[in-house]
Amino acid sequence: MTLTTNEAVSGRAVEVAAAFFDAYRRQDVDAMVGLCSDTAVFEYIPFEMWGRQRVMRGAGKVATIGKPLWSGFIAAFPDLTNTVQRITADDNGNIAAQVVLSGTQSEPWGTIANAWQHFSEPHLFVMHVGGDGLIDSITAYWDCASVSRQLGHYEVD
């Protein structure tokens, strides 16, 4: 089978996204970052973590926000894994990936105390792979309230 240029672009984008989630499953954050451009944009839309002196929001660059967020998440959920349900891409390198993340908490994560609870939550990742074959944009969506409930964290304002 011969791929046209456009099919090759979408096929390459799917391969890069699949490699990213394989690295995430292996908990290899350096490999995840290595699949991204140096200026890759990172947005975890519902994410916000309050600390004593600052608030960390899930928006910035992969190297400065994504990498420490993924590393901290893996530390708090040492059995963290993902199941890719579907990855689709268009001829311009735009990707949509349906992925279920799951794991059992073993350390506090942000304001969520460790209750040794397990979560399993569908995520939608919207990504873009540039002409250089690297991810230059990652945006993710999930139900943050559902994750909190699964981990036994009920916040009341």
Side-chain angles (χ1 to χ4, degrees):
M1 178 172 123
T2 305
L3 296 176
T4 66
T5 302
N6 289 345
E7 290 171 328
V9 169
S10 63
R12 176 68 180 138
V14 169
E15 289 174 8
V16 172
F20 176 86
F21 291 111
D22 287 344
Y24 203 171
R25 196 173 309 108
R26 291 190 318 270
Q27 301 183 357
D28 187 346
V29 176
D30 288 332
M32 293 165 65
V33 173
L35 289 164
C36 299
S37 70
D38 290 341
T39 59
V41 175
F42 175 87
E43 291 186 276
Y44 273 20
I45 300 300
F47 183 81
E48 184 175 87
M49 183 183 294
W50 288 77
R52 289 194 168 145
Q53 296 182 352
R54 69 181 182 127
V55 177
M56 180 178 172
R57 292 189 172 78
K61 300 292 183 187
V62 164
T64 57
I65 299 294
K67 184 174 183 176
L69 191 147
W70 293 325
S71 297
F73 199 42
I74 290 166
F77 298 86
D79 65 344
L80 183 69
T81 191
N82 68 70
T83 303
V84 175
Q85 296 180 320
R86 184 180 178 125
I87 300 174
T88 58
D90 69 11
D91 299 339
N92 297 313
N94 297 305
I95 302 162
Q98 296 169 283
V99 182
V100 176
L101 266 66
S102 60
T104 305
Q105 189 175 11
S106 69
E107 294 182 18
W109 174 243
T111 59
I112 301 175
N114 180 20
W116 292 95
Q117 297 296 308
H118 181 82
F119 83 96
S120 180
E121 190 66 29
H123 286 58
L124 170 64
F125 286 84
V126 179
M127 307 164 99
H128 183 263
V129 172
D132 58 0
L134 296 173
I135 297 166
D136 58 25
S137 175
I138 300 174
T139 302
Y141 303 87
W142 67 93
D143 184 348
C144 204
S146 174
V147 172
S148 291
R149 279 191 304 275
Q150 291 177 62
L151 296 175
H153 179 76
Y154 301 94
E155 189 171 311
V156 179
D157 287 349

